[in-house]
Amino acid sequence: NAFGFAVNVRDARLLRLLDKALAVVPDEARAAIVRRWSVERPDVAEPAALPLTAIQRQWLAGRTDLRVLMDPRFVPVSYRDDQGRFAGVAADVLQQIARRTGLAIEVIESTSLTRMSEMIERGEADLIAAMIPSPERQTRLAFSRGYLSSSAVLVTREGGRGSVSLEQSRGK
């Protein structure tokens, strides 16, 4: 499962711009973001040039900010730090995109993925900071290339009563 940015399905230009920006984030910067959220805290490299088409440059020229929906409870992907600033893996990746596009990030909080999806559809926001694509979601939203992979993990008590499977845990 890879987290990506979710945008309005009718906003192909923004989606292509995000994918281009994600594509030029150097491997070292990606690794630095991942390390920052695990053990180390490295500096991020200078931004690489962003190769844009004329249509993408025109779209970008008409914008000053990117309205980003985030769930502040989704630590460490998106949350508010002690000073109330947008923080987390998604914030770090969006900071890289902002540096390359010149767009300011306007953060809008919501704790409901359904409400976030509706806000994107109504044009009240540009993207959702972190969402895993699903067939149902892909009928309503378009997804950028993934920027963070996550695996499902089942944790049980040591010395518990036999083995436990995901199927046995369904609904609990």
Side-chain angles (χ1 to χ4, degrees):
N1 296 332
F3 288 94
F5 299 112
V7 303
N8 190 310
V9 293
R10 294 179 303 279
D11 203 346
R13 290 178 293 187
L14 173 58
L15 182 63
R16 286 191 298 271
L17 181 103
L18 288 168
D19 282 338
K20 273 196 177 182
L22 286 168
V24 301
V25 173
D27 290 339
E28 304 84 45
R30 288 176 187 265
I33 291 170
V34 170
R35 281 193 308 270
R36 176 177 179 195
W37 294 100
S38 46
V39 178
E40 301 176 35
R41 293 190 171 251
D43 292 330
V44 177
E46 285 302 310
L50 188 58
L52 299 175
T53 66
I55 292 171
Q56 290 167 332
R57 283 192 303 274
Q58 180 182 9
W59 182 88
L60 198 53
R63 306 290 301 260
T64 57
D65 61 346
L66 201 54
R67 299 167 299 167
V68 176
L69 290 160
M70 61 81 85
D71 184 340
R73 305 169 305 165
F74 199 30
V75 177
V77 179
S78 66
Y79 64 97
R80 294 279 184 185
D81 67 12
D82 292 339
Q83 286 77 44
R85 294 178 301 223
F86 178 37
V89 178
D92 285 357
V93 174
L94 283 166
Q95 181 181 32
Q96 290 287 317
I97 291 170
R99 290 175 68 195
R100 285 165 175 77
T101 61
L103 294 172
I105 304 298
E106 176 190 339
V107 179
I108 304 166
E109 285 187 23
S110 179
T111 56
S112 164
L113 288 176
T114 300
R115 178 160 159 61
M116 287 186 203
S117 296
E118 291 167 352
M119 289 176 72
I120 294 291
E121 289 179 59
R122 289 191 305 263
E124 296 171 7
D126 299 308
L127 64 91
I128 299 170
M131 184 180 275
I132 296 174
S134 70
E136 189 277 326
R137 289 175 178 164
Q138 289 175 314
T139 64
R140 302 176 64 195
L141 301 167
F143 288 83
S144 70
R145 62 188 286 171
Y147 65 86
L148 175 67
S149 295
S150 177
S151 301
V153 177
L154 177 63
V155 179
T156 62
R157 182 176 299 174
E158 188 174 9
R161 294 183 260 153
S163 63
V164 177
S165 70
L166 288 175
E167 190 58 40
Q168 292 170 322
S169 300
R170 190 175 307 279
K172 295 183 180 178

